[in-house]
Amino acid sequence: MMIYVNGESKQYAEAITVSDLLSDLSLTGKKIAVELNKEILPFTRFAEQVLSEGDCIEIVHAIGGGQPSDALVIAGVSYQSRLLVGTGKYKDLQETQLAIEASGAEIVTVAIRRTNIGQHQNEPNLLDVISPERYTILPNTAGCYTAEEAVRTCRLARELLNGHSLVKLEVLADQKTLFPDVAETYIAAQQLVKDGFDVMVYTNDDPIAAKRLEEIGCVAVMPLAAPIGSGLGIRNPYNILTIIENANVPILVDAGVGTASDAAIAMELGCHGVLMNTAIAAAQNPILMASAMKKAIEAGREAFLAGRMPKRRFASASSPIDGLFF
């Protein structure tokens, strides 16, 4: 069976008690508190409480105050993962679910499309495998070519998701390049912000456009690294760097990432996160690639925070020359 412990999935061959789980996690006897499916579980029930398929367990302990936090904050909500993933192009919903779990993502994008009126009653639904209770669902306006289409899509998404206000806005210029139509994006962003949406916006790698979208009120700006689905990686790192340096909202690379090194480079530049779909879904092993992307995002972020050594034209010896015996 599969259960979720502190947001991560864990497989067990058979039903186990909370005490068994704590023993497996080397937490027996530790000063902890446990929440089971959003209800506090008293420690006196640890030995008798049997866990079931899909149970969500949170285990917490006390830490010293003032410890630095490196959470990604979007629209006032904190996320531990800086990798955002899409749900398109997978071979089936099971692969979709497993890849998302391997990625560690907490924000998952979904496209909004007309329902198939004739679909079978028992046909699986995407939201059955990416539960809104576990993930932040980010509806996007993929496939929209006018501001009007994008605004209508966002309004329908808010109704579909019971008042959910966080959306990803993209208004495309043409089907060949899938570059953003920045003029239409401005119009749509203004209307959506006015309507109370929290807008994460896809745009090109133009620092002027990015700043304008921030000034309109978008909660995050998402410049492309390269054309959507191209896998070319970051084509203009200096523009991305300028966007980051001028921004007061999170900047996330969106589109064009092809492999783990591309994601690491984006994070080393100082991006607050990366959104990707094709790079994972089109890999020969999407689940393994999702895991690689998770590690790349974490490594790139740590390298950015650490501060890289300066680049030099000539060599600089690692070992001192004092004390040489020849």
Side-chain angles (χ1 to χ4, degrees):
M1 69 173 183
M2 180 179 293
I3 62 174
Y4 302 96
V5 181
N6 287 0
E8 296 187 1
S9 60
K10 289 188 174 295
Q11 288 274 7
Y12 288 94
E14 57 186 19
I16 59 171
T17 65
V18 171
S19 289
D20 295 332
L21 173 65
L22 296 178
S23 176
D24 183 58
L25 299 174
S26 300
L27 293 174
T28 300
K30 302 290 186 181
K31 189 66 174 179
I32 58 173
V34 174
E35 180 188 76
L36 174 61
N37 298 329
K38 299 185 178 181
E39 296 289 340
I40 300 298
L41 184 69
F43 74 90
T44 54
R45 292 177 50 197
F46 287 0
E48 66 185 53
Q49 182 65 55
V50 178
L51 298 174
S52 303
E53 173 75 25
D55 277 349
C56 295
I57 300 96
E58 293 291 335
I59 305 173
V60 301
H61 67 135
I63 62 172
Q67 292 196 6
S69 171
D70 188 40
L72 170 63
V73 180
I74 297 177
V77 179
S78 296
Y79 301 94
Q80 296 306 308
S81 174
R82 293 176 178 271
L83 174 58
L84 292 69
V85 296
T87 51
K89 302 184 179 180
Y90 291 99
K91 67 180 182 181
D92 54 37
L93 289 182
Q94 182 182 22
E95 184 178 75
T96 304
Q97 180 180 21
L98 293 174
I100 292 172
E101 289 173 353
S103 76
E106 297 170 87
I107 302 177
V108 181
T109 68
V110 299
I112 305 300
R113 295 290 185 270
R114 285 176 170 168
T115 185
N116 178 4
I117 302 300
Q119 73 182 43
H120 192 276
Q121 184 177 0
N122 296 323
E123 185 175 333
N125 184 284
L126 180 61
L127 295 183
D128 294 334
V129 298
I130 50 166
S131 168
E133 294 183 0
R134 183 179 178 198
Y135 299 100
T136 293
I137 306 301
L138 182 63
N140 67 46
T141 62
C144 293
Y145 290 87
T146 68
E148 180 184 5
E149 292 172 357
V151 170
R152 288 177 60 198
T153 299
C154 288
R155 288 172 176 167
L156 283 166
R158 182 160 62 181
E159 180 68 20
L160 174 67
L161 297 173
N162 300 316
H164 185 78
S165 63
L166 186 67
V167 295
K168 179 197 167 188
L169 170 64
E170 58 180 72
V171 185
L172 305 177
D174 63 71
Q175 294 185 5
K176 180 177 181 180
T177 68
L178 298 182
F179 281 145
D181 184 327
V182 177
E184 287 290 299
T185 300
Y186 289 158
I187 295 170
Q190 288 171 332
Q191 184 61 58
L192 290 171
V193 170
K194 181 180 177 181
D195 286 353
F197 285 92
D198 295 317
V199 181
M200 301 176 67
V201 59
Y202 165 70
T203 186
N204 57 27
D205 59 2
D206 176 0
I208 306 304
K211 192 63 181 179
R212 174 62 180 141
L213 289 163
E214 176 187 327
E215 292 168 347
I216 286 172
C218 296
V219 299
V221 177
M222 308 173 74
L224 56 82
I228 292 173
S230 67
L232 292 173
I234 297 178
R235 297 294 85 199
N236 199 335
Y238 296 104
N239 272 21
I240 300 293
L241 184 59
T242 301
I243 291 171
I244 295 166
E245 291 173 341
N246 292 336
N248 295 310
V249 297
I251 303 299
L252 298 89
V253 157
D254 178 16
V257 168
T259 191
S261 58
D262 299 331
I265 289 170
M267 299 306 296
E268 289 170 8
L269 285 171
C271 287
H272 299 86
V274 179
L275 189 153
M276 65 182 74
N277 184 185
T278 307
I280 296 175
Q284 294 181 35
N285 186 331
I287 298 164
L288 188 59
M289 182 61 80
S291 176
M293 290 298 188
K294 176 183 178 180
K295 297 179 180 74
I297 293 289
E298 293 170 351
R301 179 64 178 177
E302 288 186 3
F304 169 74
L305 294 175
R308 64 156 293 144
M309 62 167 283
K311 294 181 179 180
R312 300 185 178 96
R313 183 179 175 188
F314 297 108
S316 175
S318 299
S319 302
I321 60 174
D322 295 341
L324 287 175
F325 53 86
F326 52 84

